[in-house]
Amino acid sequence: MYKGFAEPREEPVMSEQVPETRPKPAVAMKPTAGLNPNLLGYIGIDTIIEQMRKKTMRTGFDFNIMVVGQSGLGKSTLVNTLFKSQVSRKSSGWSREEKIPKTVEIKAISHVIEEGGVKMKLTVIDTPGFGDQINNENCWEPIEKFINEQYEKFLKEEVNIARKKRIPDTRVHCCLYFISPTGHSLRPLDLEFMKHLSKVVNIIPVIAKADTMTLEEKTEFKQRVRKELEMNGIEFYPQKEFDEDQEDKSENDKIRDSMPFAVVGSDKEFQVNGKRVLGRRTPWGIIEVENLAHCEFALLRDFVIRTHLQDLKEVTHNIHYETYRAKRLNDNGGLPPVSEDSHESNI
Ligand SMILES: Nc1nc2c(ncn2[C@@H]2O[C@H](COP(=O)(O)OP(=O)(O)O)[C@@H](O)[C@H]2O)c(=O)[nH]1
Ligand SMILES: [Mg+2]
């Protein structure tokens, strides 16, 4: 069609900076005082942090921890300590474990924890009775099966044509493996478990009941455990191969060198110097579980919750789940590879 404006006009080009009329970002920004006040050419990429924060606050997120180890090593106590709430209370649903079950029975319990407006659905998966039998051969199998079942659930949701906008995440993001504070070598069972499971889940080994060891014994035992894990080719979280850059590496190296954390758990509070602290009362005084001079519980908590929670979720999704998914989709007779034009997910 013939237009009235035959002469090519000078049109404003996209790349040209258009002052003043810059649209306001939809998300309120933090005051930029102190930063460069010249906002010419400002795109607003930095508001993604605010956008993500809002979204996370609205939807919340899932975080799933599994605790594994022999009965009586303080798993339930430590979980309670970790979240300072009775996350896996011994009452009601948990009381059955005190009867020492004959098989490895896996139980999950969820709590929604809210802090600063952010909701986290925390699920703790306990594995009572692990390694308590006379013959512990293959006793990691039910645990591996459980972990894989969660991947399978997620995969099925993912390949569904009408998939949920947000797939409920029951995958195990981290597995705290409790090592008995013997001061000797790791038991064959410990090695077998970690050897098998480190390929499917993030393993974080911890030395249980560290208050039963002297300082020298603790240092020596930690070294020995690290050496034995290395000799057996067991990679625990954070795995060296997944360090993202030099900074990540040096940070994680420090953590790896201080692992496995030697922890003490307690859900009882005591008054110490006018403050209420979580601790264990002994004839020699109170062991304060959050005091770094007493044990490394605070290191573990900061590591899992404050610095590496998101990374634990990412490694689970990008590495462990991805490995499962690729294998599963390639397996003959299994789920067929999902192609663009497939109309049914065949599950
Ligand atoms: N000395 C010591 N005892 C602990 C510690 N954590 C838990 N306990 C005690 O060990 C016993 C078993 O704890 P529990 O959490 O039920 O162990 P679980 O079977 O592994 O879940 C309880 O009497 C706890 O009070 C710890 O760090 N040090
Ligand atoms: Mg327990």
Side-chain angles (χ1 to χ4, degrees), residues 69-78 90 97-98 126 178 208-212 263-266 268 280 287 289:
Q70 236 176 332
S71 286
L73 282 182
K75 299 184 294 295
S76 308
T77 309
L78 193 88
K90 287 181 179 173
E97 79 180 70
E98 271 141 36
D126 200 353
F178 284 63
K209 299 188 173 180
D211 52 323
T212 59
V263 298
V264 176
S266 171
K268 296 205 174 56
R280 305 188 70 81
I287 304 162
V289 301

Side-chain angles (χ1 to χ4, degrees), residues 78 82 205-207 210-211 215 218-219 222 226 255 257-265 287-303:
L78 193 88
L82 197 55
V206 298
I207 295 173
D211 52 323
L215 290 176
K218 187 193 83 177
T219 312
K222 282 175 65 149
R226 277 200 302 273
I255 295 168
D257 286 345
S258 54
M259 281 169 86
F261 300 122
V263 298
V264 176
I287 304 162
E288 299 166 41
V289 301
E290 289 174 276
N291 184 338
L292 274 179
H294 293 194
C295 79
E296 295 166 345
F297 168 77
L299 289 180
L300 175 71
R301 179 202 55 206
D302 288 357
F303 172 55

Side-chain angles (χ1 to χ4, degrees), residues 155-221:
L155 179 62
K156 280 186 176 169
E157 289 286 355
E158 221 181 33
V159 299
N160 248 343
I161 295 233
R163 61 178 169 184
K164 293 184 182 124
K165 203 168 151 220
R166 194 171 153 265
I167 302 174
D169 193 357
T170 61
R171 298 169 300 179
V172 179
H173 299 116
C174 103
C175 170
L176 297 181
Y177 187 81
F178 284 63
I179 296 166
S180 178
T182 57
H184 300 288
S185 302
L186 287 171
R187 297 172 308 165
L189 171 70
D190 300 330
L191 292 170
E192 282 299 306
F193 179 87
M194 288 190 266
K195 209 182 268 180
H196 281 87
L197 273 284
S198 60
K199 296 191 183 77
V200 295
V201 71
N202 292 320
I203 300 261
I204 299 179
V206 298
I207 295 173
K209 299 188 173 180
D211 52 323
T212 59
M213 308 175 106
T214 67
L215 290 176
E216 292 78 22
E217 282 164 356
K218 187 193 83 177
T219 312
E220 205 180 300
F221 190 47

Side-chain angles (χ1 to χ4, degrees), residues 109-123:
I109 188 162
S110 298
H111 281 248
V112 174
I113 296 178
E114 194 172 340
E115 196 178 47
V118 180
K119 281 200 198 91
M120 167 166 86
K121 185 177 168 214
L122 172 77
T123 300

Side-chain angles (χ1 to χ4, degrees), residues 233-250:
I234 296 166
E235 272 245 67
F236 52 85
Y237 178 85
Q239 302 89 339
K240 285 194 189 101
E241 54 185 314
F242 307 142
D243 289 342
E244 273 163 22
D245 50 33
Q246 202 51 42
E247 197 192 326
D248 207 28
K249 183 181 179 308
S250 62

